[in-house]
Amino acid sequence: MPTTNTTRRLRTGSSSLLITVALCGLLLNTNMSISFANPAGDLPSIEQRVAELLGQMTLAEKIGQMNQRNASDGYAPDYLREGLRVGRIGSVLNVVDVDIVNELQRIAVEESRLGIPLMVGRDVIHGFKTVMPIPLGQAASWNPDIVREGARVAALEAATTGVNWTFAPMIDIARDARWGRIAESLGEDPFLASELGAAMVRGFQGDNLADTGTIAACAKHFAGYGAAESGRDYATTNVSENELRNVHLRPFKAAVDAGVTTLMASFSDIDGVPATANEFLMRRVLRDEWRFDGFVVSDWDSVRQLAIHGLTEGDRESAYEAATAGVDMEMAGHAYEDNLEELISEGRIDVAMIDATVANILRAKFRLGLFENPYTKPAELPAIANEHALATAKKAALQSVVMLKNDHGTLPLSPEALDSVALIGPLADAPYEQLGTWIFDGDANLSITPMHAIHSLVGKQVDVRYLRAMENSRSKVSEHFDDAVDIAAGSDAVVLFLGEESILSGEAHSRADISLPGDQAELVRRIRETGKPVIAVILAGRPLTLTNIVDHVDAILFAWHPGTMGGPAIADLLFGVESPSGKLPATFPRMVGQIPIYYNQKNTGKPPSPDTIVHIDDIDARAPQLSLGMTAFHLDAGYTPLYSFGFGLSYAEWEYADIRTSASELRLGQSLTISADVTNTGEVAADEVVQLYVRDLVGNVTRPVKELKGFKRLRLEPGQTMTVDFDLHTDDLSFYGRNMQLMTEPGDFHAWIGGSSDAELRTEFRIVADD
């Protein structure tokens, strides 16, 4: 909800505070009687209820609301009871036992002086018991509807345990595949991440936060976390304000516009100031510019870590920096609890700032309906892993798989044409590994693996021969490779299930070498020697460098970590029940040295082209220094990736034609429509994700060579043609210029429509200046 028009600004030192006029008035009237719980009848406004409650709180109780405690270190009602009774705890996290949660809520509501219920947090990232594909995989669906529905399923399942707050979506822009947390991200592009992140927020939060089965979302990590140096988690981020505003902040603005309840500060520093103490982010951008009225939580113990960064001398100064910067709640640490009251008594922090902070937290609790319904009744919610949940998980997995290669029509396989198929590799029958990272509550017993799904699909019609061949994806023992070769040689086709175990991606799991780990490449080479058709199905938490295997396989399905129903989805794609339709949400480099490599780069003053590059192997001995084109490329990798952003093949064939605009010129504030005809020239019905890219040719600051501005998923029958329209407003072409003001400039633009960022079908239009 937007900040009300009655809001006024107060300043304490350098901190900008938001205090409602209603709050100021109600604090003076202690005789008002507004029940904090209003189960029926005419409700006072949430702002009135927040103000009334604040007016009755002691300073210690206010600071208590700013503290979140871990509840997984034993029987939480025992060791948290006293803190709850005296109002020193506003939130708990990491408890998923409904009886324990209800008991914690009972103590908070019935035994404390003011009866303020708890926020109960949990990392519900891509499912709860029923696991969806990892977020990067969901991004490959390019389908906001399925992303929203997956979050809805996760919310309903998590809510059965009393969880009412998830630390998702993670909408950091990720352009370095070495970073383990790219698995949690929605990819490299601000537009795609914005659309899908907003969809995820709406899925978690529903139409009304107070409805049964909704949980508060938390957009993280604010901000720039995905730009960590060398892809090392928690490392420094050096991002200019222009890059920050034009790239990294855009998904967070979209989440705020979608009504996200909370944001989480990043662990990392940004431009020398850790995000947990970054007033520019928390107050200037989030509160003053975006008018956000939810609350900000720190990451795990990151307030106290300000001293480890070297920004402060200890917990006391860390608490001061974080609180004055605008971090409303401290996760897991004790810096606020131990130091804020003394900082206030010394006059370094004004109590008005604390009131504004606590108001943000209470506002979220009222919006969640916790004062009316603090307790969880699982019987009021759908069953775990119900039919709809599993169908959603399968659909998400189906649409997330990207076909990267399909030489000679190797896929789909036909049960009628096969007597036998070999399934080889460490990830063909690994129910836990297919779930991916951040699945604390995921139930591997629900997983249907590819091996079991293929058996079920083909029945007795095809002899399915399975061999694990490697203990895990990292194994460097090849003792079973001879057996694998024998099985492959005796089969009509071979499907290799390769990739990364789930532990190799996620938080603190960064890799410097992002090729297939262990001896998997050697296994591919050995199987290739049999001469049989070889299909690689790759399960991984990040883009991988596949250069060392791509020429040794006939087809590649990149399945990410596909979740609970990954097996049936993969089986349907392998055997043509469905056509692959996923598109890459992140660029795949040829080798790790190309990183960072992403489609919407700047042109530079010396852009490369096919005519200017020379491969290192083609350089003559003693060649003169100026003989190599003098453009921006790597001698040993060129300038193109292995697979581009937006790329993904299909069993259908797609033809794009007749791109046009509804007008060649438009003025600021106007819109135009960009259209193209898309035809399925193949022999099967299939989905295609049609993509619109735009380039601003001249700008106040340099602009990317292409920017995604729209996409639509459509399904066409063989021979069917559809006209696809994209409406583009001049505001959609805005960017932050030299003065950090959002602007759209008159000038010339190019636009492309196609099936990837390599789209060649181009048109032009112009924005003309007002007279």
Side-chain angles (χ1 to χ4, degrees), residues 228-247:
E229 288 182 343
S230 188
R232 289 175 293 117
D233 214 353
Y234 319 124
T236 298
T237 57
N238 288 304
V239 183
S240 69
E241 183 178 346
N242 184 272
E243 182 82 357
L244 187 71
R245 288 185 177 275
N246 281 314
V247 177

mmCIF file of all heavy atoms in Angstrom, residues 228-247:
data_model
loop_
_atom_site.group_PDB
_atom_site.id
_atom_site.type_symbol
_atom_site.label_atom_id
_atom_site.label_comp_id
_atom_site.label_asym_id
_atom_site.label_seq_id
_atom_site.Cartn_x
_atom_site.Cartn_y
_atom_site.Cartn_z
ATOM 1 N N ALA A 228 28.936 -9.485 -6.934
ATOM 2 C CA ALA A 228 30.093 -9.795 -6.095
ATOM 3 C C ALA A 228 31.324 -10.109 -6.941
ATOM 4 O O ALA A 228 31.247 -10.844 -7.926
ATOM 5 C CB ALA A 228 29.778 -10.975 -5.184
ATOM 6 N N GLU A 229 32.461 -9.541 -6.547
ATOM 7 C CA GLU A 229 33.699 -9.720 -7.304
ATOM 8 C C GLU A 229 34.044 -11.201 -7.444
ATOM 9 O O GLU A 229 33.964 -11.960 -6.483
ATOM 10 C CB GLU A 229 34.853 -8.994 -6.605
ATOM 11 C CG GLU A 229 34.781 -7.482 -6.697
ATOM 12 C CD GLU A 229 35.965 -6.816 -6.027
ATOM 13 O OE1 GLU A 229 36.650 -7.494 -5.225
ATOM 14 O OE2 GLU A 229 36.206 -5.625 -6.286
ATOM 15 N N SER A 230 34.406 -11.604 -8.654
ATOM 16 C CA SER A 230 34.867 -12.953 -8.966
ATOM 17 C C SER A 230 33.806 -14.008 -8.694
ATOM 18 O O SER A 230 34.117 -15.188 -8.669
ATOM 19 C CB SER A 230 36.143 -13.283 -8.160
ATOM 20 O OG SER A 230 36.718 -14.486 -8.572
ATOM 21 N N GLY A 231 32.560 -13.576 -8.506
ATOM 22 C CA GLY A 231 31.519 -14.535 -8.215
ATOM 23 C C GLY A 231 31.638 -15.177 -6.850
ATOM 24 O O GLY A 231 30.989 -16.185 -6.578
ATOM 25 N N ARG A 232 32.436 -14.583 -5.963
ATOM 26 C CA ARG A 232 32.604 -15.128 -4.615
ATOM 27 C C ARG A 232 31.508 -14.572 -3.712
ATOM 28 O O ARG A 232 31.366 -13.360 -3.573
ATOM 29 C CB ARG A 232 33.977 -14.767 -4.045
ATOM 30 C CG ARG A 232 35.135 -15.501 -4.691
ATOM 31 C CD ARG A 232 36.483 -15.021 -4.176
ATOM 32 N NE ARG A 232 36.759 -13.645 -4.591
ATOM 33 C CZ ARG A 232 36.905 -12.618 -3.763
ATOM 34 N NH1 ARG A 232 36.778 -12.801 -2.457
ATOM 35 N NH2 ARG A 232 37.175 -11.413 -4.223
ATOM 36 N N ASP A 233 30.768 -15.481 -3.085
ATOM 37 C CA ASP A 233 29.691 -15.030 -2.215
ATOM 38 C C ASP A 233 30.243 -14.137 -1.110
ATOM 39 O O ASP A 233 31.362 -14.349 -0.615
ATOM 40 C CB ASP A 233 28.989 -16.239 -1.585
ATOM 41 C CG ASP A 233 27.506 -15.992 -1.405
ATOM 42 O OD1 ASP A 233 27.056 -14.850 -1.640
ATOM 43 O OD2 ASP A 233 26.788 -16.936 -1.060
ATOM 44 N N TYR A 234 29.474 -13.121 -0.757
ATOM 45 C CA TYR A 234 29.774 -12.150 0.298
ATOM 46 C C TYR A 234 30.877 -11.168 -0.085
ATOM 47 O O TYR A 234 31.225 -10.291 0.704
ATOM 48 C CB TYR A 234 30.177 -12.825 1.625
ATOM 49 C CG TYR A 234 29.373 -14.035 2.011
ATOM 50 C CD1 TYR A 234 29.999 -15.258 2.256
ATOM 51 C CD2 TYR A 234 27.988 -13.966 2.139
ATOM 52 C CE1 TYR A 234 29.266 -16.379 2.617
ATOM 53 C CE2 TYR A 234 27.248 -15.076 2.500
ATOM 54 C CZ TYR A 234 27.892 -16.283 2.745
ATOM 55 O OH TYR A 234 27.162 -17.388 3.098
ATOM 56 N N ALA A 235 31.473 -11.305 -1.268
ATOM 57 C CA ALA A 235 32.596 -10.444 -1.639
ATOM 58 C C ALA A 235 32.115 -9.017 -1.924
ATOM 59 O O ALA A 235 30.920 -8.736 -2.053
ATOM 60 C CB ALA A 235 33.334 -11.011 -2.850
ATOM 61 N N THR A 236 33.074 -8.129 -2.033
ATOM 62 C CA THR A 236 32.800 -6.721 -2.315
ATOM 63 C C THR A 236 32.087 -6.559 -3.644
ATOM 64 O O THR A 236 32.310 -7.314 -4.588
ATOM 65 C CB THR A 236 34.139 -5.950 -2.346
ATOM 66 O OG1 THR A 236 34.749 -6.040 -1.057
ATOM 67 C CG2 THR A 236 33.930 -4.495 -2.710
ATOM 68 N N THR A 237 31.218 -5.569 -3.711
ATOM 69 C CA THR A 237 30.597 -5.199 -4.980
ATOM 70 C C THR A 237 30.965 -3.755 -5.298
ATOM 71 O O THR A 237 30.783 -2.870 -4.459
ATOM 72 C CB THR A 237 29.067 -5.334 -4.929
ATOM 73 O OG1 THR A 237 28.552 -4.530 -3.869
ATOM 74 C CG2 THR A 237 28.674 -6.772 -4.679
ATOM 75 N N ASN A 238 31.503 -3.542 -6.468
ATOM 76 C CA ASN A 238 31.838 -2.195 -6.925
ATOM 77 C C ASN A 238 30.901 -1.848 -8.082
ATOM 78 O O ASN A 238 31.131 -2.231 -9.223
ATOM 79 C CB ASN A 238 33.304 -2.120 -7.372
ATOM 80 C CG ASN A 238 34.257 -2.182 -6.187
ATOM 81 O OD1 ASN A 238 34.152 -1.370 -5.275
ATOM 82 N ND2 ASN A 238 35.164 -3.139 -6.198
ATOM 83 N N VAL A 239 29.828 -1.156 -7.749
ATOM 84 C CA VAL A 239 28.801 -0.827 -8.720
ATOM 85 C C VAL A 239 28.578 0.678 -8.688
ATOM 86 O O VAL A 239 28.319 1.250 -7.636
ATOM 87 C CB VAL A 239 27.474 -1.551 -8.404
ATOM 88 C CG1 VAL A 239 26.430 -1.244 -9.475
ATOM 89 C CG2 VAL A 239 27.690 -3.054 -8.285
ATOM 90 N N SER A 240 28.688 1.316 -9.832
ATOM 91 C CA SER A 240 28.431 2.753 -9.884
ATOM 92 C C SER A 240 26.952 3.020 -9.640
ATOM 93 O O SER A 240 26.100 2.140 -9.816
ATOM 94 C CB SER A 240 28.822 3.303 -11.257
ATOM 95 O OG SER A 240 27.937 2.820 -12.253
ATOM 96 N N GLU A 241 26.620 4.249 -9.237
ATOM 97 C CA GLU A 241 25.221 4.576 -9.002
ATOM 98 C C GLU A 241 24.412 4.452 -10.297
ATOM 99 O O GLU A 241 23.265 4.021 -10.271
ATOM 100 C CB GLU A 241 25.071 5.987 -8.429
ATOM 101 C CG GLU A 241 23.627 6.328 -8.099
ATOM 102 C CD GLU A 241 23.436 7.698 -7.496
ATOM 103 O OE1 GLU A 241 24.440 8.322 -7.080
ATOM 104 O OE2 GLU A 241 22.281 8.169 -7.443
ATOM 105 N N ASN A 242 25.016 4.806 -11.423
ATOM 106 C CA ASN A 242 24.302 4.689 -12.684
ATOM 107 C C ASN A 242 23.967 3.233 -12.985
ATOM 108 O O ASN A 242 22.844 2.895 -13.360
ATOM 109 C CB ASN A 242 25.130 5.295 -13.825
ATOM 110 C CG ASN A 242 24.387 5.292 -15.137
ATOM 111 O OD1 ASN A 242 24.430 4.329 -15.889
ATOM 112 N ND2 ASN A 242 23.663 6.374 -15.412
ATOM 113 N N GLU A 243 24.938 2.344 -12.809
ATOM 114 C CA GLU A 243 24.709 0.913 -13.022
ATOM 115 C C GLU A 243 23.706 0.373 -12.002
ATOM 116 O O GLU A 243 22.846 -0.446 -12.324
ATOM 117 C CB GLU A 243 26.033 0.154 -12.913
ATOM 118 C CG GLU A 243 25.939 -1.336 -13.152
ATOM 119 C CD GLU A 243 25.925 -1.723 -14.626
ATOM 120 O OE1 GLU A 243 25.941 -0.822 -15.483
ATOM 121 O OE2 GLU A 243 25.893 -2.928 -14.908
ATOM 122 N N LEU A 244 23.822 0.836 -10.778
ATOM 123 C CA LEU A 244 22.907 0.406 -9.735
ATOM 124 C C LEU A 244 21.465 0.737 -10.108
ATOM 125 O O LEU A 244 20.572 -0.107 -10.047
ATOM 126 C CB LEU A 244 23.286 1.082 -8.419
ATOM 127 C CG LEU A 244 22.536 0.631 -7.164
ATOM 128 C CD1 LEU A 244 22.955 -0.772 -6.769
ATOM 129 C CD2 LEU A 244 22.806 1.608 -6.016
ATOM 130 N N ARG A 245 21.250 1.979 -10.529
ATOM 131 C CA ARG A 245 19.879 2.418 -10.820
ATOM 132 C C ARG A 245 19.347 1.809 -12.116
ATOM 133 O O ARG A 245 18.170 1.444 -12.193
ATOM 134 C CB ARG A 245 19.832 3.947 -10.897
ATOM 135 C CG ARG A 245 19.986 4.646 -9.541
ATOM 136 C CD ARG A 245 19.805 6.142 -9.692
ATOM 137 N NE ARG A 245 19.877 6.862 -8.437
ATOM 138 C CZ ARG A 245 18.850 7.036 -7.595
ATOM 139 N NH1 ARG A 245 17.672 6.512 -7.895
ATOM 140 N NH2 ARG A 245 18.990 7.722 -6.480
ATOM 141 N N ASN A 246 20.171 1.700 -13.125
ATOM 142 C CA ASN A 246 19.688 1.206 -14.418
ATOM 143 C C ASN A 246 19.574 -0.306 -14.480
ATOM 144 O O ASN A 246 18.850 -0.835 -15.338
ATOM 145 C CB ASN A 246 20.600 1.706 -15.541
ATOM 146 C CG ASN A 246 20.307 3.141 -15.929
ATOM 147 O OD1 ASN A 246 19.156 3.521 -16.102
ATOM 148 N ND2 ASN A 246 21.352 3.949 -16.059
ATOM 149 N N VAL A 247 20.262 -1.012 -13.598
ATOM 150 C CA VAL A 247 20.273 -2.476 -13.662
ATOM 151 C C VAL A 247 19.773 -3.102 -12.362
ATOM 152 O O VAL A 247 18.720 -3.745 -12.320
ATOM 153 C CB VAL A 247 21.684 -2.999 -14.000
ATOM 154 C CG1 VAL A 247 21.707 -4.530 -14.000
ATOM 155 C CG2 VAL A 247 22.148 -2.464 -15.348
#
